[in-house]
Amino acid sequence: MDVQKSDEITQGWLYLIRFNRFGLQYARRRYFVLQNQCLKSFKSVPLSDTQEPLRSAIVDSCIRVTDKGRESFKRKVFFVFTIYNTSNHKDHLKLGASSPEEAARWIHSLQNVAAETGTDSKRRWQPFRLNDSKSAKRTNSVDWTVSATRHVDAIMPDVIAPSQWKIFGCQNGLRLFKEAKDSNNSSESQRAGQPAIMAVGVVEGTSEAVFKILMSIGPSRYEWDFCFHGGTVVEHLDGHTDIIHMQLCRDWLPWGIKRRDLLLRRYWRREDDGTYVILYHSVIHSKCPPQDSYIRAYIHSGGFVVSPVNQGKESVVKHMLSVDWKLWKSYFPKTSTRSLTICMLGRVSALRELFRARAGELCSDDFLSRECVSIRINEQQQQVKPEGGQIMPMEEVKESPVSNASDEFFDFPDHSDDELEWDSESSQHCYVENCQPKLSSAAGFVKKLHDLAVQRKGYKDLQEVLRESNPSSYEYGSTFPKDSNCNLPCSWASTDPSTFLIRSDSYLEDQRKYKAKGTLMQLVAADWLKSDKREDDLAGRFGGIVQKYAAHGGPEFFFVINIQVPGTTTYSLALYYMMRTPLGSCSLLEHFVKGDDSFRNSRFKLIPYISKGSWLVKQSVGKKACLIGQALEINYFHGKNYIELGVDIGSSTVARGVVGLVLGYLNNLVIEMAFLIQANTHEELPETLLGTCRLNHMDASKSISVDSMNI
């Protein structure tokens, strides 16, 4: 099922996934051809360019492609992605590929085609579910440049940051690193007494093959994982996240130590350069309580990063662990915990030898078959016991019973027959509504604990005193306090622009980037809000900071970024950037404000950076710039003196997985971000940052309800 590309043609076998009249999904194997902004499907390989397709659809700038991760079809794993119309989400296609690399090539090809110049309105194609006649009538942006699709950034960090790792040894051909001690940036694992350790080695296999083997928890894992005794998938949350239970064997443990098991929330994603990231941390789940014959160990953070090298023929595998083995601390020295972790990291050596022994003939597809069986067995068990399982991070369980779990996920059974049919209506219902973080109960519990602590310590935070003294005076732009010294929890400040790398004036020739020297706008206010629904157009609301400036009729212009995290409680982080010079002083910004949504989606860029936090969160967020409009839905609101971008985190499975990890560690994080409009032509270069921000130890319990705002 290899994808073939030649100039403007991408073609190969995919699975078209659709619904029948009974609400059951079915999959049909079809040969797809993407050429001249038209996606066609055939029952077999077309013999000529004039052969009539079964179905076809126009792919223009109104089309969005999203990665849905893995799904199982009759004991076979597919990597699913959807193509949908941004103006009508019911107008969509769901396609499945047999490998993550194949899915990634199709996703990138479709995104590149969507970024080309406008479609020919005279063409008419028989639509799949995408209505091409409507697409052809839309007005597309005429400012999509060819360079926007030809110049792709190399996967290098866009943030200048010190390394958090320090080498301390080498064992079995693996370099061993420990977290560098930094009093100003100590991670959770260091504070807990379980320092993170990382092993790095080179495996003679493609990153895709290594990824598939690492994801398997079937019998084939016995060929390389000497710690593994057995495993099952407890619950499949979405295409990128699941809950797995792994039992560890006794052979590699020191004498007298009881067997351990792990209950992990596992998340994965693929980077644009072919790097695979697998992250996991321990959780509590009501469907998998601790077992009498095992002691449940606790992983603070862990995972694998598999990066291709040597033209993709080899892979650099990084395996990181921070584990609390639940040893008798009075009996076993601290070195025992470290030695056990280093021994477990030695699995990278076994993985390397497995590929070396197979000499590239490893059939990685077989490594996923048992996992599909585990998922299906788990689903059959859920038919007997349909109530959903409760999941919560183990940090919270230390202070609260399982019944107060903060997250609740429901998994529905899949039915299949010889035509790969299954019922997914209920699973889609779960996917949309129940896979979001539900923080209200956890936030309330934390608040109660904090109140008890206040009674004991005899003082309150300054921020809480200010809120309690005038609880009804909130206005838009005043709910999130500023602290330039970065000492006040749950506060914001601007960060140093030179931390971020942006495109130089010669970027199109040499791909060089330079340190940002300043920002075009200043961050003047911020909001940290919660509501039972999505809150849009905050800048246009009466009494807010934007409307106050508008009433005076000054030259100030606001660029508002409203990051929305949906769920049972919807959280909104709104950042208000302001410039006092006329909008026309920056032609690219003026073009962005006055342009259409297609141009905006192709240019708005974010550079994230977790300057303080655990390795798990840092790895999940990364330090690479991304075009938000190509990954997430953005709703634009434009007024006389402002433009507001409503960024919907819930529109992407990958983004939801990242945010799900970040929210669990939110109080311990310092998050830095930079925003800019991407420059693609010589006239637009060099790039300039719109603005930066630094978010200190945000707290969901300190967000302000929209109902308490002065309107």
Side-chain angles (χ1 to χ4, degrees), residues 519-522 524 549 553-559 577-590 593-594 640-642 688-690:
T519 60
L520 188 63
M521 296 180 159
Q522 297 299 319
V524 296
Y549 275 92
E556 295 85 2
F557 186 85
F558 285 84
F559 195 102
Y577 292 93
M578 184 182 72
M579 64 182 299
R580 298 184 182 274
T581 58
L583 187 61
S585 60
C586 179
S587 58
L588 184 56
L589 177 59
E590 183 181 26
V593 172
K594 297 181 179 180
K640 180 178 67 173
N641 68 328
Y642 73 89
T688 303
L689 293 180
L690 291 177

Side-chain angles (χ1 to χ4, degrees), residues 461-570:
D461 294 334
L462 176 61
Q463 180 179 355
E464 294 185 0
V465 174
L466 293 175
R467 291 180 176 180
E468 291 179 1
S469 62
N470 199 3
S472 60
S473 64
Y474 300 124
E475 296 176 345
Y476 289 102
S478 65
T479 63
F480 199 13
K482 178 181 180 179
D483 179 23
S484 301
N485 297 323
C486 303
N487 296 323
L488 181 65
C490 200
S491 62
W492 66 267
S494 296
T495 192
D496 184 7
S498 63
T499 305
F500 304 96
L501 298 176
I502 55 178
R503 295 180 176 185
S504 65
D505 52 3
S506 61
Y507 177 80
L508 299 181
E509 287 78 24
D510 54 21
Q511 309 292 301
R512 290 183 59 186
K513 295 186 177 183
Y514 71 102
K515 293 181 181 180
K517 299 179 180 179
T519 60
L520 188 63
M521 296 180 159
Q522 297 299 319
L523 181 60
V524 296
D527 278 323
W528 180 222
L529 305 171
K530 61 183 177 182
S531 176
D532 57 358
K533 60 182 179 65
R534 194 175 74 183
E535 299 293 337
D536 292 323
D537 198 12
L538 300 179
R541 302 191 181 187
F542 177 78
I545 183 174
V546 177
Q547 293 305 311
K548 286 183 177 180
Y549 275 92
H552 290 87
E556 295 85 2
F557 186 85
F558 285 84
F559 195 102
V560 182
I561 302 169
N562 182 8
I563 302 174
Q564 302 162 332
V565 184
T568 303
T569 299
T570 298

Side-chain angles (χ1 to χ4, degrees), residues 11-23:
Q11 53 189 342
W13 290 99
L14 293 173
Y15 282 84
L16 176 62
I17 304 169
R18 305 184 70 180
F19 284 95
N20 62 17
R21 67 179 69 181
F22 303 107

